[in-house]
Amino acid sequence: MSTVEEAGYLPGLSPEAIGRRIVQHRAWGETVAVALPDLTGDQAETLCAHVRARARETLRRMETARIVAAIDRASACLLDRTHPLRRKAEALLPVVTGYDRETVRLGLTSYLKTFRRPQLLRFLAEDFSNPAVLDGFQPAVKGGLVRARGPDLLLHVWAGNVPALPLWSLVSGLLVKAGTVGKLASAEPLTAGWFAQAIAEADPDLGECLAITWWKGGEGGPEATFLAQADCVMAYGGNETLAALRAKVPVTARFLPHGHRIGFAMIAREALDSRRAGPLARLAAHDIVRYEQQGCYAPQMLFVERGGATAPDEFARHLAHELAALASRHPRRRLDPGEAAALAAWRNAHEMRALDGSATLLGDPADPWSVVLLDDAVGLSPSGLNRSVAVVAVDDLAEVPARVAPHRAYLQTAGIAAAPARLMALADDLAGAGVTRISAIGRMTAPEAGWHHDGRFSLLDLVTMTEIEAGAEAAAEGFAPYAD
Amino acid sequence: MSQAEIVEALLDFIGRPGASEAEFEALALRLFAYQFAHNAPYRRFAQQRGRTPLTVRRWRDIPAVPIKAFKDLTLSCSPPDAAERVFMTSGTTGSGRGRSYHPTLAVYDASMLAGFAARIMRGRDTIRMGILFPDEAALPNSSLAHYLALAKAEFGTADSAVFVGPTGLDLDGLLAALAQAEASGEPYALLGATYAFVPVMDALEERGRRFALPPGSVLFDTGGFKGQSREIEPDAFYDGLSEAFGVPRTSCLNMYGMTELSTQFYDDGNATCPPVKSGPHWIRSRVVDPLTGIDVPEGETGVLVHHDLAHFNSVSAILTEDAGVIVPGGFRLLGRVEGSASRGCSVAVAEFLAAAQG
């Protein structure tokens, strides 16, 4: 049976005038047709003008607390398993993205928990020592007063198929009172629109200040209009896509790119005793299985230290065992031919290495996971994704920062299992090498609220400060009616 | 079996167009045993897959080596230093060049000539040729240079010519030859790398010049664009060729070959793209799931595996990086299987390598 789900959220445009492009998604024996909005240049212009005007008129005057409350309520809807939007998300997202139902369900819940009131306040507190600067002028440390202002029109260009990932930047924009237009990713075109709808239900005024749409990237259409209208463009994608986009953004607009990244894990010998190694392998397997390593924080390589009670090869076998066990509870997404070929190419390359003994492939090519054990001093390199991972045996984890350092531009999350003193020492070196997030094993794919994505400030990067200098304040005193 | 016996058996097999499936299978198994015995890296590869001459009963079960292996390993049953010729890939992608060692060119040449006669010459003995590719002296390790030299030597008329020299394309010479062919009424064959046709078409358009080559003329392209020219969609490419030279798309023939093989595939014209490709009776193709190596159901897309008996000295079974689908009479080639960029925000191997290579 097939249903048609209308994607996007377009206040201020009459629904019947909106062109639609139907895209079929198939997985788990079901089909979902998604109708993506396909606007004309004029409609894009109208939409931008609407969002910009409403943002200026209403959003600017809203207390941050009201925005927080609206986002909190929208998140609560999507966390409520009986809510129609949540039901729709659980029914449709597995078919659209291909991830299994349980992965989607658990992922949505753990992710949406980041957008409730206490977590949102943490977001604000993380970037602003006094979040009240978003609502009005506040005393500055150096004297005078400052206030922070988000862009009038913030354009998000989302990519990828990790469910609900766009909410991170969407929420960040709203918290700084930015008029918001989001471009859906073709591979997951639903959650952002649903979330916008939930926000509109929670607070209709706020709902008028954001829109969610779609266009085919790089092919003319309304793209130029949106890019020309935006004061700030937050974009996700591969470096080539980002470069093409950057070239089209006016120089007066701020461009905040988030390119593709790589995550890796490090397991210290003190974590490798017989009591800890098994559970650790299970946690690592979770990091690998969650969203099939499509997220930039997922581990693609595990550096495992020699000298523990559990040797690296034994750990690799534990990991393979856990991946096999998880595969029955969370079946792997069906791979398209390109993905299968990428995975096969990765396996084949290691199979060639195995001929001279420098690699050991665990499992069978038909298994829905792959673990390769590398005995060599190898540098960081991506895996074939979709549950493929290399376990690299190292004499000392202290060698790892130097090995990953050449890939600074791609580094993101490092999951670490080590004693406190070593964690600190390793973290220091990894930070120097360009790693921007260090997490526990098992938490790699679930960043905390207030996370500095790719080492940047989620909120601070968006705002412009206006300051009243101390001198101006003092000079004003001279013109007061009570002046002597 | 000795190398001499293999060569003799292959030359005999190539010369017998009526050879049955059972005969192909028998020879394929003999060759697998030979390669298993004399090609150490291939033996280790096959053993790792649990495939040995004792366990393999069907040619389809002979393990296919990924073509990348030709870069990393020395795959030869005879001492590589003693090879009469080593063909190397152009090395446009990744590190290193794939190598195929030929202790003798007798089998390669017999395979090439039989295929070319049947699929390009089609009963004709000779045709005047123009060649848009450097000759063997310029590219001694290019299998395509050797292939085209052989075509010209065996099937070309005396006034056939190569139009790519040390200074590049001899456009004036080519235009003169084409004009002459047009006037003579004798069919003409223009052969070359796919990308080599692009600047010729561009030059003709710039000059407002079109040819109407005589009926029976043939355009022959191979190898794709390889970053050597701008990429043109197949339909637009063959429309362009057809218009520029006045040759119908049914006479625009494409050859699909590889350095890692000794036999080529052909289509019967590019009236519609992609056309059905097929090879002679000593090569068979399968379409597999690249992960498991298992055949996909007929009509489904997968990755092409070729089993070329003529590639006797190296490995006869190769897993390509080309997507294809089996259809009646052969297969359709659907282009390269790109190791797709990830669908999420994880960096994938292709992007990572591209950055590493600068």
Side-chain angles (χ1 to χ4, degrees):
Chain A
M1 201 206 75
S2 115
T3 50
V4 177
E5 176 65 20
E6 283 198 355
Y9 170 77
L10 300 158
L13 290 183
S14 88
E16 53 276 13
I18 296 167
R20 295 276 173 180
R21 185 188 292 213
I22 312 271
V23 179
Q24 303 271 357
H25 295 262
R26 275 185 207 90
W28 312 110
E30 287 180 64
T31 303
V32 172
V34 176
L36 297 164
D38 201 0
L39 305 188
T40 63
D42 285 347
Q43 286 172 323
E45 198 102 32
T46 308
L47 189 69
C48 289
H50 177 86
V51 167
R52 185 188 287 272
R54 301 304 293 263
R56 274 201 178 135
E57 287 158 18
T58 59
L59 192 50
R60 290 266 171 263
R61 290 186 237 282
M62 271 185 208
E63 295 278 309
T64 308
R66 180 172 158 191
I67 300 171
V68 166
I71 297 171
D72 179 61
R73 256 173 290 159
S75 305
C77 293
L78 280 164
L79 278 167
D80 173 3
R81 294 200 66 196
T82 63
H83 193 280
L85 279 180
R86 171 70 186 219
R87 285 186 171 172
K88 202 146 74 164
E90 289 192 16
L92 302 188
L93 287 177
V95 184
V96 167
T97 61
Y99 301 116
D100 82 283
R101 289 186 188 286
E102 275 298 280
T103 298
V104 168
R105 188 177 71 76
L106 296 172
L108 270 183
T109 299
S110 109
Y111 188 65
L112 284 159
K113 286 199 288 195
T114 348
F115 302 116
R116 289 170 307 169
R117 190 167 175 279
Q119 287 72 24
L120 294 169
L121 295 179
R122 200 158 290 142
F123 259 88
L124 289 161
E126 192 55 46
D127 278 14
F128 299 102
S129 54
N130 176 6
V133 288
L134 290 163
D135 291 335
F137 281 100
Q138 299 292 321
V141 177
K142 68 171 179 55
L145 300 150
V146 289
R147 80 163 289 175
R149 186 172 54 84
D152 284 343
L153 195 67
L154 169 62
L155 181 68
H156 306 265
V157 179
W158 294 309
N161 61 344
V162 176
L165 204 60
L167 300 193
W168 206 283
S169 74
L170 180 67
V171 164
S172 299
L174 291 176
L175 287 177
V176 299
K177 307 183 189 180
T180 296
V181 175
K183 176 199 182 283
L184 296 162
S186 309
E188 202 282 82
L190 294 176
T191 322
W194 292 333
F195 196 75
Q197 215 176 305
I199 283 184
E201 275 162 30
D203 189 328
D205 287 341
L206 184 57
E208 291 294 313
C209 304
L210 78 160
I212 310 292
T213 185
W214 179 85
W215 67 82
K216 179 131 184 72
E219 289 202 352
E223 181 176 73
T225 309
F226 283 115
L227 291 175
Q229 293 284 331
D231 302 308
C232 179
V233 179
M234 174 103 93
Y236 297 78
N239 283 347
E240 223 168 277
T241 312
L242 292 175
L245 204 57
R246 167 149 51 192
K248 294 184 215 158
V249 173
V251 68
T252 47
R254 192 177 300 174
F255 186 69
L256 303 171
H258 287 288
H260 291 164
R261 303 283 163 150
I262 186 169
F264 61 93
M266 298 164 72
I267 318 276
R269 64 174 71 92
E270 61 267 25
L272 289 168
D273 62 27
S274 53
R275 192 164 50 86
R276 296 184 174 105
L280 206 49
R282 183 167 315 144
L283 290 169
H286 272 286
D287 284 336
I288 292 162
V289 167
R290 173 80 62 83
Y291 298 137
E292 318 290 3
Q293 294 165 303
Q294 303 290 307
C296 45
Y297 33 44
Q300 300 195 42
M301 218 172 211
L302 269 62
F303 295 96
V304 179
E305 203 170 38
R306 294 192 181 95
T310 301
D313 63 329
E314 207 178 327
F315 185 81
R317 276 169 240 286
H318 275 300
L319 184 64
H321 172 76
E322 295 296 343
L323 286 170
L326 275 175
S328 57
R329 199 141 44 90
H330 300 289
R332 184 170 70 184
R333 247 174 73 235
R334 192 192 153 100
L335 307 183
D336 69 32
E339 289 173 312
L343 187 47
W346 179 83
R347 272 195 74 98
N348 287 339
H350 287 303
E351 203 173 3
M352 294 306 138
R353 300 181 97 157
L355 292 181
D356 62 25
S358 61
T360 310
L361 266 168
L362 304 182
D364 185 83
D367 288 329
W369 53 269
S370 294
V371 176
V372 63
L373 176 67
L374 300 176
D375 222 20
D376 252 2
V378 292
L380 185 68
S381 72
S383 73
L385 301 180
N386 295 300
R387 308 192 188 186
S388 61
V389 68
V391 170
V392 185
V394 294
D395 288 329
D396 189 337
L397 284 185
E399 303 161 17
V400 175
R403 287 202 209 173
V404 302
H407 310 292
R408 166 180 293 273
Y410 285 101
L411 299 181
Q412 199 207 57
T413 296
I416 300 186
R422 296 191 72 198
L423 171 68
M424 295 313 292
L426 288 171
D428 234 9
D429 290 345
L430 288 172
V435 168
T436 55
R437 173 173 169 251
I438 287 160
S439 90
I441 305 292
R443 299 296 300 167
M444 293 183 70
T445 60
E448 288 172 353
W451 175 36
H452 293 110
H453 185 188
D454 291 342
R456 298 306 315 171
F457 294 92
S458 304
L459 306 181
L460 263 184
D461 269 359
L462 295 172
V463 299
T464 307
M465 307 303 280
T466 300
E467 52 186 33
I468 301 172
E469 290 199 349
E473 200 186 348
E477 292 293 347
F479 310 117
Y482 50 77
D484 294 328
Chain B
M1 228 172 21
S2 71
Q3 182 181 300
E5 285 166 329
I6 296 258
V7 169
E8 198 191 320
L10 282 167
L11 292 176
D12 173 59
F13 193 81
I14 289 170
R16 282 189 296 121
S20 69
E21 170 82 18
E23 287 173 283
F24 178 90
E25 184 124 277
L27 190 48
L29 293 173
R30 274 167 74 194
L31 272 170
F32 175 52
Y34 174 76
Q35 289 162 5
F36 188 89
H38 296 101
N39 185 337
Y42 183 51
R43 176 167 60 243
R44 284 199 296 274
F45 175 84
Q47 282 169 333
Q48 205 170 64
R49 298 253 165 132
R51 308 278 173 89
T52 72
L54 289 175
T55 62
V56 169
R57 294 268 175 270
R58 308 181 316 153
W59 71 267
R60 289 177 176 275
D61 297 332
I62 295 169
V65 164
I67 59 166
K68 273 211 176 67
F70 285 79
K71 287 180 184 173
D72 303 331
L73 307 171
T74 301
L75 295 169
S76 180
C77 292
S78 55
D81 297 343
E84 178 186 340
R85 194 72 75 88
V86 183
F87 289 141
M88 298 187 200
T89 54
S90 48
T92 45
T93 51
S95 56
R97 298 172 68 182
R99 288 154 196 265
S100 273
Y101 301 90
H102 296 267
T104 161
L105 281 174
V107 177
Y108 181 98
D109 289 358
S111 167
M112 179 277 164
L113 292 171
F116 196 89
R119 305 301 294 273
I120 306 294
M121 299 306 290
R122 301 175 175 183
R124 203 197 310 261
D125 286 335
T126 58
I127 189 167
R128 187 176 172 200
M129 291 181 183
I131 291 175
L132 300 177
F133 198 75
D135 65 15
E136 272 187 294
L139 296 177
N141 294 117
S142 161
S143 57
L144 183 57
H146 177 69
Y147 173 99
L148 292 168
L150 212 52
K152 180 166 162 281
E154 289 291 322
F155 302 110
T157 57
D159 53 355
S160 295
V162 174
F163 294 105
V164 178
T167 54
L169 175 69
D170 172 14
L171 188 64
D172 293 334
L174 173 65
L175 297 189
L178 289 168
Q180 219 178 3
E182 195 176 33
S184 73
E186 288 297 312
Y188 189 80
L190 186 59
L191 301 86
T194 310
Y195 57 78
F197 282 90
V198 177
V200 177
M201 284 196 278
D202 289 349
L204 291 183
E205 193 172 325
E206 208 174 283
R207 297 174 187 206
R209 179 72 166 100
R210 268 192 205 178
F211 290 96
L213 291 175
S217 295
V218 167
L219 301 179
F220 168 109
D221 78 286
T222 186
F225 299 97
K226 293 194 171 156
Q228 302 266 356
S229 77
R230 70 195 148 83
E231 299 254 342
I232 305 177
E233 289 298 310
D235 273 310
F237 177 72
Y238 290 110
D239 277 343
L241 277 190
S242 177
E243 245 169 70
F245 300 101
V247 172
R249 278 179 58 167
T250 46
S251 298
C252 294
L253 308 177
N254 175 272
M255 183 274 272
Y256 164 59
M258 295 178 167
T259 303
E260 297 84 354
L261 293 177
S262 295
T263 301
Q264 298 77 32
F265 297 95
Y266 300 90
D267 52 51
D268 296 319
N270 277 271
T272 56
C273 291
V276 177
K277 293 235 188 300
S278 57
H281 63 272
W282 58 93
I283 191 165
R284 303 269 158 119
S285 301
R286 301 161 53 208
V287 169
V288 304
D289 175 332
L291 267 175
T292 59
I294 296 170
D295 290 70
V296 302
E298 198 166 314
E300 267 183 39
T301 301
V303 177
L304 283 162
V305 166
H306 302 304
H307 200 108
D308 179 13
L309 301 185
H311 208 55
F312 71 95
N313 180 60
S314 176
V315 170
S316 285
I318 64 161
L319 170 67
T320 70
E321 292 170 351
D322 295 320
V325 57
I326 297 282
V327 294
F331 58 86
R332 287 185 205 274
L333 182 64
L334 305 174
R336 268 178 76 84
V337 187
E338 295 296 339
S340 69
S342 85
R343 303 213 293 171
C345 52
S346 256
V347 68
V349 178
E351 185 180 349
F352 193 81
L353 288 181
Q357 285 168 2

